[in-house]
Amino acid sequence: MHRNRGRSAIVGIGEVPTGRFPERTAIEGALQAARLAIADAGVRREEIDYVMPTGTLFSFQFGNELATARLVEELGLPGVGSNCQVFSGGSSSTNALRIAAALIETGRARCILFVHTDKLGTGVSAQGGIDLFSTAGISAEWEVPFGQHYSTVAALATTRFKHETGCTDEELSAVCVSNRKWAELNPHAFFRTPLTIAEVMNSKMLSTPLRAKQSNMLFDGSGAFLVTSAERARDLVARPVYVLGEGGAVTHFVYSQEPDLTRFGWAAAGRQAFAEAGIGPADVDVAEIYDSYPIYQLIAFEELGLCGRGEAGGLFLRGDTWPGGRFPCTTDGGMLSKGHIGAGGSVSLMIEAARQLMGKAGARQVPGARFAVETATGGTYFDAQVTVLGTEVP
Amino acid sequence: MITPPKPRPEASAWSRPFWNAAREHQLLLQRCDDCRQWIFYPRIACPHCGSDALGWQQASGRGTIYSYTVVMNNAPSAFAADVPYVVAVIRLEEGVQMLSNIVDCDPATLGCDQPVEVVFRRLDDEYTLPCFRPLAAIGAPR
Ligand SMILES: [Zn+2]
């Protein structure tokens, strides 16, 4: 058995709704989420000895305040030995959990509070958001001068994936419909009205073949989770969410340097995470797959081994990934329907994975969920990060 | 809305020869004197073997479209006036990949694996971008 399997656990989650909240400041969202997580776990504030904020994109000034312990002071946490930011763009949640788990496993920390907050919906203008995301994580020397931005990044993977696998625009649109089905059941999601494949396929063309409704939108949002040792977790809560396995692969910085735009590093990262966890893809009850654009959800779903190459589109189209389906996927609605909140896109998915395993997902609860896989990726999909969580240790 | 100026590449000391050559309408690539691998983008040391012995060689300027997209809407401000424009990943004959624009083409006729050749587009006095255009005889023997 892998030495780290199940030695740490998520014991508390907190989240505020994703959307446009001009009156809710970024710090207010962060504090609300953190306090909800602390209350959810039932830990005393004195117990928290490590605060791990992640990066905030809307304001450099505010991001620095989190990096320099604003949360510790605002929350009044007297026992904190370290406040240290962990940031890798969209994969921050998974990297943070990995570091948190390692600190717990080695005894360097006992109770870690991870917090994300951002204000990309009302803290920046619409064009400001597009411009921010035309440079954030994109090579200033080798790609920005050619007009590369996140729509083209996603479109380039989509074009090649369609070319190699025969994936159709209808299948890509079905990913958006699947995520929307879940968002309809999620009070924290921004887009909650039913969506059809025709609506997606008739929406404005951004960068061929990517259309507007296949693209995420930026919103305000905040989330938090608490990590502690498996032993302490069993004292605190009825259903600890054990960290069973983790895997990662960093495959490029400059997007053109990615060796395979139809696969990325998911297969290797998934093998590593499942091996460490002691389960296989067939054991997964709920898959919280990073979307941001439909192509990435399809690729990761396939490369993790949840289905074969070129088969995911059909599963999304036929409803297998929808509520009640055989392969519940991205059950909070994802960035496509819940909303993109910067580094918090994958924080939402991590919280949702834990929420499903805790049995707290309400109307969208996957009955009897025991094992969940969560994926995350940052920048121009420079990495593939995979976490396997479970309510029991195999 | 005021259109901001086009973003400039911000060269480093070791990429300067690439941009100087592009200004003269030449596509130069680094090549490792030790392991003989071609290298793009320019590095401070060989990413394949770590050697410091990197030289510059003229590339063929030919390659194929690995993938591409035609930007129609929601472009970054500096590119808003350029739509539709084509962004593509080019696989050069030398075995390296680079992001570029495909110009002098009908975007509707483009496809993956189509052969292309380099063509240069001036940005300002200092920088010229290597772009690509479809090889004239599409479907000719490769
Ligand atoms: Zn070398």
Side-chain angles (χ1 to χ4, degrees), chain A residues 6-23:
Chain A
R7 289 184 55 203
S8 56
I10 297 174
V11 287
I13 53 174
E15 188 180 64
V16 298
T18 288
R20 293 196 183 97
F21 301 99
E23 305 301 317

Side-chain angles (χ1 to χ4, degrees), chain B residues 32 34-37 39 46 48-51 54:
Chain B
C32 178
D34 285 323
C35 74
R36 303 305 295 157
Q37 295 264 12
I39 298 162
C46 176
H48 305 286
C49 74
S51 170
L54 302 183

Side-chain angles (χ1 to χ4, degrees), chain B residues 98-134:
Chain B
M98 63 187 293
L99 192 87
S100 186
N101 298 128
I102 299 180
V103 297
D104 300 341
C105 69
D106 173 2
T109 65
L110 297 175
C112 288
D113 301 330
Q114 186 178 341
V116 291
E117 64 184 358
V118 73
V119 57
F120 293 88
R121 287 289 181 271
R122 182 181 180 279
L123 196 60
D124 57 26
D125 286 347
E126 190 175 0
Y127 288 106
T128 291
L129 299 179
C131 298
F132 289 82
R133 67 183 173 204

Side-chain angles (χ1 to χ4, degrees), chain A residues 110-162:
Chain A
R110 292 185 305 278
C111 185
I112 300 175
L113 173 65
F114 171 85
V115 181
H116 166 267
T117 188
D118 217 322
K119 204 166 166 57
L120 294 167
T122 59
V124 293
S125 69
Q127 187 64 38
I130 292 173
D131 288 347
L132 171 68
F133 277 86
S134 65
T135 54
I138 298 179
S139 167
E141 182 166 12
W142 304 109
E143 305 217 327
V144 171
F146 297 96
Q148 176 88 305
H149 56 291
Y150 277 88
S151 293
T152 54
V153 165
L156 288 166
T158 310
T159 300
R160 187 71 199 185
F161 187 78
K162 288 178 67 179

Side-chain angles (χ1 to χ4, degrees), chain A residues 5-6 240-244 277 279 357 369-371 389-394:
Chain A
R5 182 189 305 164
V241 174
Y242 297 104
V243 181
L244 298 181
I279 67 166
L357 296 178
R370 291 187 307 156
F371 298 112
L389 302 171
T391 56
E392 58 193 82
V393 183

Side-chain angles (χ1 to χ4, degrees), chain A residues 8 13 24 35 39 63 68 70 74 104 120 126 133 138 151 174 193 195 205 218 232 270 289 291 319 335 352 368 376:
Chain A
S8 56
I13 53 174
R24 189 180 77 200
R35 296 182 73 221
T68 52
R70 181 169 177 185
E74 295 266 12
I104 300 286
L120 294 167
F133 277 86
I138 298 179
S151 293
T193 54
L195 181 70
M205 186 65 84
L218 296 169
R232 181 69 184 127
I289 306 294
D291 51 351
M335 277 156 277
E352 177 70 4

